[in-house]
Amino acid sequence: MGAGSGEISLVGDGRTRPLRIALLESLPLLRHGVQTIVSAHPALEWVDAVSSTRDTVELCESARLDVVLVTSASDPGWNRCQLLTRLFRDLTVVALLGREARTPDTIAMARINGARALVPLDADPDRLVKAITAGATVGHHIDSALAVFATSVEGARTAGGKSLSRREFEVLQLIAEGRTAVQIALRLQITAETARTHVSHILRKLDARDRAHAVARAYELSFLPK
C-alpha cells in the first residue's frame, strides 16, 4: 500500500480496494473511537459495530467483510474468533487485548483460534491501523508492546519438554481443521514441503503417531480449545 493510497492488496487476493472493517464490541465509547480511527484512513472502510455472534456472522455474509476487530472482553475464550475464521476462510480477525488479556496463555489461545493480528486495546491509532493492514496483507502481526508475551508463547513447552514455535501453533490449528499440507501451504503462503516439515516437527514434539493423534494430544495439553 502506498502512502495516501485508498486501496490495499489482500492476502491471496489480486484485487486492490479499501478493506471493509467491522468491530465486535458493545461499549459505545469504544465503538465510536474505533470507528473514528478506521473512517479517517483512506485504505480502510468502516462498515459497522455489532455485539452478538449472530449479528457478526450476518454482517460478514451481507457486507463481505475483510476484517473483524474482536476485543478480549467481548470474546474472553476466543470462541467467536474461532467460529468466524472457520466460517469465513478469507476473513482476518484482529484481536484487541485489554490489560487483563496480555498474558502468554491468552495470546497463545487467540493465535491458535485464528487471530491473525494482535494489538493492545489502548494502542495509538497508527498501531491499530498497522495491525489491521498487516493482518490482512501479510497474514500475521503482533504489536511491539506484546512482543515479550509472544516470545513466551513461542517458547511454550509440551509435556515432553519440547517447544512449539509460533508457526507450528498456526499449522496445528489448521491440522485440527482438517487441512491438507497443500491447503496449509496456501493459507500460510509457504511451500507444501515446508508445511509437511512443520507437520513432522509437530508430530515429533507431541509424541503423536499421526495428525489425528496430534490433535488429540493438543487438546490434552490445552493447546486447542475444547
Side-chain angles (χ1 to χ4, degrees):
M1 181 183 65
S5 171
E7 297 182 335
I8 195 166
S9 297
L10 304 180
V11 174
D13 190 334
R15 297 168 294 171
T16 55
R17 54 174 172 74
L19 294 172
R20 290 185 285 269
I21 316 294
L23 171 68
L24 176 53
E25 175 56 54
S26 60
L27 294 177
L29 285 177
L30 183 54
R31 287 185 175 199
H32 177 73
V34 172
Q35 179 179 355
T36 299
I37 293 169
V38 170
S39 299
H41 199 281
L44 307 180
E45 177 185 338
W46 174 255
V47 177
D48 202 357
V50 291
S51 58
S52 72
T53 302
R54 178 178 178 178
D55 288 344
T56 307
V57 171
E58 290 179 352
L59 191 62
C60 286
E61 293 174 336
S62 63
R64 298 179 63 83
L65 297 176
D66 299 303
V67 179
V68 172
L69 309 177
V70 179
T71 65
S72 54
S74 68
D75 192 14
W78 304 113
N79 295 318
R80 289 173 165 179
C81 178
Q82 181 187 61
L83 174 65
L84 292 172
T85 53
R86 288 190 174 184
L87 287 177
F88 306 99
R89 301 298 190 185
D90 296 325
L91 180 69
T92 294
V93 171
V94 177
L96 310 182
L97 304 181
R99 292 189 180 278
E100 78 290 344
R102 296 172 204 177
T103 67
D105 288 346
T106 300
I107 290 175
M109 291 307 297
R111 294 161 69 186
I112 289 172
N113 281 295
R116 291 189 187 176
L118 298 98
V119 64
L121 190 57
D122 56 1
D124 60 57
D126 288 343
R127 285 160 61 197
L128 176 58
V129 170
K130 182 178 180 181
I132 293 171
T133 56
T137 59
V138 180
H140 60 85
H141 174 79
I142 297 179
D143 186 84
S144 58
L146 303 175
V148 62
F149 302 112
T151 300
S152 298
V153 169
E154 290 168 11
R157 295 188 174 276
T158 68
K162 300 172 184 177
S163 62
L164 290 183
S165 69
R166 178 182 66 185
R167 180 62 88 188
E168 286 165 352
F169 271 113
E170 294 171 340
V171 172
L172 177 61
Q173 181 193 16
L174 295 174
I175 292 173
E177 293 177 3
R179 303 291 188 95
T180 66
V182 172
Q183 291 170 330
I184 291 172
L186 290 173
R187 177 67 177 268
L188 299 180
Q189 294 193 310
I190 57 179
T191 67
E193 186 58 35
T194 298
R196 292 187 185 97
T197 298
H198 286 310
V199 172
S200 177
H201 290 169
I202 291 169
L203 295 181
R204 186 181 73 252
K205 291 178 178 181
L206 294 180
D207 295 322
R209 298 182 300 273
D210 51 31
R211 290 161 58 105
H213 189 205
V215 172
R217 288 279 294 145
Y219 281 115
E220 290 173 6
L221 295 168
S222 297
F223 286 168
L224 294 172
K226 296 182 179 180

